[in-house]
Amino acid sequence: MRLISGFGVVAVIFVCVAVLAATSVAPQPSGRAPRDPFAQTYTDYCAACHGSNLTGGRAPTLFDDTWRVGGDDVSLMKSIREGLPGTEMPPFKDVLTEADIKGLIGYLRRQTTLVEKNASRARNPVNQIVRAEQHTFTFEVVAEGLATPWGMAFLPDGRMLVTERPGTLRLIDNGKRLPKVIDGTPAVWTEQDGGLFDVAVHPDYAQSGWIYLSYAEPGENDTSMTSIIRGRIQSGRWVDQETLYRAPAELFFPTNVHYGSRFLFDREGHLFYSIGDRGHDTDAQDLSRPNGKVHRVNDDGTAPRENPFVGREGALESIWSYGHRNPQGLALHPVTGALWAAEHGPIGGDELNRIEPGRNYGWPLVTSGRLGKRAVATAPPRQQEGLEAPIAHWTPTIAPSGIAFYTGDRFPEWKHDLFVSGLAGEALRRLETNGDEVVHEEVLFKDFGRVRDVATGPDGHLYVALNVPGVKLSDTTPGMIVRLVPTDER
Ligand code: HEC
């Protein structure tokens, strides 16, 4: 599913403006709702074109209550029964009974209500004032009308690249709020957690022009795997693409989870990237496999000779550390240059780690989370000799995604604090650290949507990627990039 049609873009903007702007806080449905009886009919007959979330598919989403032909019951019955001649929308009168069609319309209405309920939980951050412990700030929109923004990167001239998980790379140019799509990026696998992930700019971009992308690459028979590429942007197109990492075919899995995929360039120009365990937890301990690892490569994808497992038989030379579940946050300490990483735990047990070369971070041998109800009795220990313990962990889960040390000057009290985004708690956290210790934690804000990435901008503001919660955790939903601005400056 790709967000390409003008309709898709308009629909997303509409939902973003109309729904994210809603300020009422609807009660959250508690527990697991029983499966809707018409969900299966929808999956069988409609999802192939209309998609299964707010992004839609080849055809527009039917869940956002925006209609072109007509949204009243009579018009919907007619569109579905007769189809829409001259378009791809087929007639269903020979396939579905009138009762089926009525049931489907009811299902569409229920999905819309769910989407609105979830969306209205996410308050619009714009013009909200937050009085945090040390600074008072507000939010400015940098880009809106985005579909699940995943990663951000700044070009030397201050323009910004942003990835949207359904598979688009956009360039935020001259402060335009709906940024331009870069054409020609590869097709991505978009089931569940799949999609286009992080973007990074080569440290010597002015010379080389390289942009790095990580994504879930579709394989044979509905499989996928994290792949790493680089390319250049010329006249709004993605060109000169080179593959830096693509797993062998047998490591493309049918699971749609734990792709990892965060990027970081260190001061020597090495590229770090993470790959989650892909749902194969014991692979995280297997040095011949790429999943469940943090990797370090040269800018062309080759492994530096000093990498810890170079020369070890059977080990992948790019591996920097192992025993990871799903690391989606990487940051370089601005003073010590040390690598820090955040990863999603099983049920709780989210971790913040100081990454040292060659070390084993323990997954799935140790965890402070639970492995699910079934496994409580046999849950692995929290710590074990020879396995690195996290420097901070969170239970219940905060679902940490991007992390960043603040290096700007706009918020002097926050200098060199670590900011941790959170998908599950929809919060941004600020961590004060001392050496390898976290000495204080503050929830800076909550309930403005799922927080997926955070970065210090070249202007010294703190940039944050948000998207409204969907019906399911992995749904693609409207999102925006905002920046935190101190209010005493305005
Ligand atoms: C083969 C692809 C395909 C399938 C399968 C399909 N649709 Fe559609 N449908 C479309 C396209 C394309 C459009 C938009 C047509 C246009 O206006 O250009 C559409 C439009 C519609 C509309 C009109 C939307 C509006 O804005 O007024 C409704 C309602 C609709 N589809 C319902 C369904 C339902 C319900 C199913 C499953 C029973 C379904 N469709 C299956 C392709 C499909």
Side-chain angles (χ1 to χ4, degrees):
M1 284 172 288
R2 281 169 64 88
L3 183 68
I4 35 171
S5 71
F7 190 99
V9 174
V10 171
V12 167
I13 301 171
F14 170 82
V15 177
C16 202
V17 172
V19 180
L20 191 58
T23 48
S24 69
V25 180
Q28 275 184 54
S30 61
R32 218 200 194 100
R35 187 149 168 88
D36 194 303
F38 284 94
Q40 196 58 47
T41 319
Y42 179 84
T43 306
D44 293 344
Y45 294 101
C46 321
C49 294
H50 290 282
S52 49
N53 59 38
L54 275 181
T55 314
R58 304 214 307 272
T61 180
L62 300 174
F63 298 159
D64 67 357
D65 203 25
T66 53
W67 306 101
R68 287 206 290 183
V69 180
D72 57 283
D73 286 358
V74 173
S75 309
L76 288 175
M77 286 296 289
K78 182 160 186 284
S79 298
I80 301 169
R81 197 193 293 126
E82 314 290 336
L84 299 171
T87 79
E88 265 197 277
M89 172 65 193
F92 283 93
K93 60 174 184 285
D94 298 334
V95 192
L96 299 171
T97 64
E98 287 287 292
D100 285 340
I101 296 177
K102 282 202 182 108
L104 265 176
I105 292 171
Y107 171 71
L108 300 181
R109 305 258 192 247
R110 286 189 290 280
Q111 287 299 100
T112 305
T113 311
L114 266 178
V115 166
E116 282 171 357
K117 239 187 203 159
N118 279 322
S120 62
R121 279 200 289 133
R123 290 176 294 142
N124 186 343
V126 174
N127 295 329
Q128 300 270 4
I129 292 190
V130 176
R131 285 176 190 80
E133 288 170 5
Q134 296 152 316
H135 288 290
T136 298
F137 59 90
T138 186
F139 300 84
E140 279 177 9
V141 178
V142 178
E144 60 192 345
L146 302 173
T148 305
W150 208 100
M152 314 180 266
F154 295 93
L155 293 170
D157 62 10
R159 288 182 304 167
M160 183 186 204
L161 290 163
V162 51
T163 52
E164 291 170 292
R165 200 179 54 188
T168 30
L169 174 66
R170 290 178 185 264
L171 183 63
I172 300 176
D173 201 356
N174 298 327
K176 290 211 183 79
R177 284 184 171 191
L178 183 64
K180 278 192 286 218
V181 174
I182 305 300
D183 293 320
T185 55
V188 304
W189 177 256
T190 56
E191 288 301 315
Q192 203 170 336
D193 298 346
L196 178 61
F197 304 126
D198 211 6
V199 52
V201 173
H202 192 284
D204 196 7
Y205 174 82
Q207 279 292 316
S208 72
W210 289 121
I211 306 287
Y212 293 72
L213 293 176
S214 58
Y215 68 109
E217 182 172 352
E220 302 271 295
N221 302 320
D222 289 347
T223 60
S224 63
M225 180 59 179
T226 312
S227 289
I228 309 294
I229 57 174
R230 69 176 178 182
R232 296 188 174 93
I233 295 173
Q234 258 163 35
S235 318
R237 283 196 65 79
W238 178 253
V239 296
D240 301 339
Q241 180 176 306
E242 293 178 2
T243 299
L244 272 63
Y245 181 72
R246 173 185 286 134
E250 68 271 18
L251 295 180
F252 279 63
F253 297 125
T255 62
N256 300 315
V257 295
H258 305 176
Y259 294 92
S261 257
R262 197 59 74 182
F263 279 140
L264 182 79
F265 272 104
D266 72 6
R267 293 166 180 171
E268 284 85 48
H270 297 125
L271 176 68
F272 288 98
Y273 62 85
S274 58
I275 302 185
D277 72 8
R278 299 287 288 104
H280 294 237
D281 54 6
T282 52
D283 284 4
Q285 294 293 323
D286 181 345
L287 291 175
S288 72
R289 297 206 157 195
N291 41 328
K293 314 291 180 329
V294 172
H295 299 264
R296 186 182 80 151
V297 294
N298 296 312
D299 67 349
D300 61 358
T302 57
R305 301 318 301 163
E306 325 77 62
N307 267 8
F309 298 110
V310 169
R312 164 117 39 134
E313 207 183 317
L316 292 177
E317 298 192 332
S318 60
I319 294 175
W320 184 251
S321 63
Y322 65 111
H324 298 288
R325 186 172 177 275
N326 190 21
Q328 291 194 320
L330 291 177
L332 213 55
H333 193 284
V335 178
T336 64
L339 179 64
W340 294 50
E343 68 181 59
H344 299 272
I347 295 181
D350 297 334
E351 296 185 356
L352 179 67
N353 288 299
R354 255 287 313 272
I355 304 296
E356 296 284 355
R359 300 273 176 89
N360 183 351
Y361 289 81
W363 177 252
L365 307 173
V366 293
T367 175
S368 50
R370 291 197 290 120
L371 293 181
K373 289 196 189 89
R374 232 172 350 100
V376 171
T378 54
R382 282 169 175 253
Q383 287 193 22
Q384 193 176 306
E385 188 73 22
L387 302 179
E388 303 304 313
I391 55 179
H393 60 91
W394 291 273
T395 302
T397 184
I398 64 165
S401 185
I403 63 173
F405 287 96
Y406 178 68
T407 52
D409 294 319
R410 308 263 179 173
F411 297 100
E413 299 297 325
W414 292 353
K415 191 116 188 175
H416 299 170
D417 288 350
L418 183 69
F419 289 78
V420 178
S421 64
L423 299 170
E426 295 164 31
L428 182 69
R429 285 177 162 69
R430 181 183 67 86
L431 273 51
E432 287 172 25
T433 62
N434 183 4
D436 288 351
E437 249 184 292
V438 174
V439 294
H440 181 63
E441 180 176 321
E442 175 187 17
V443 173
L444 265 195
F445 63 78
K446 243 174 106 59
D447 298 333
F448 296 131
R450 289 156 75 73
V451 188
R452 199 174 295 271
D453 200 13
V454 53
T456 309
D459 56 3
H461 288 121
L462 196 64
Y463 283 69
V464 180
L466 301 170
N467 68 293
V468 304
V471 178
K472 296 195 299 288
L473 274 184
S474 54
D475 277 352
T476 292
T477 59
M480 49 167 70
I481 309 278
V482 296
R483 62 177 177 207
L484 275 53
V485 180
T487 40
D488 43 23
E489 188 191 77
R490 291 151 64 94

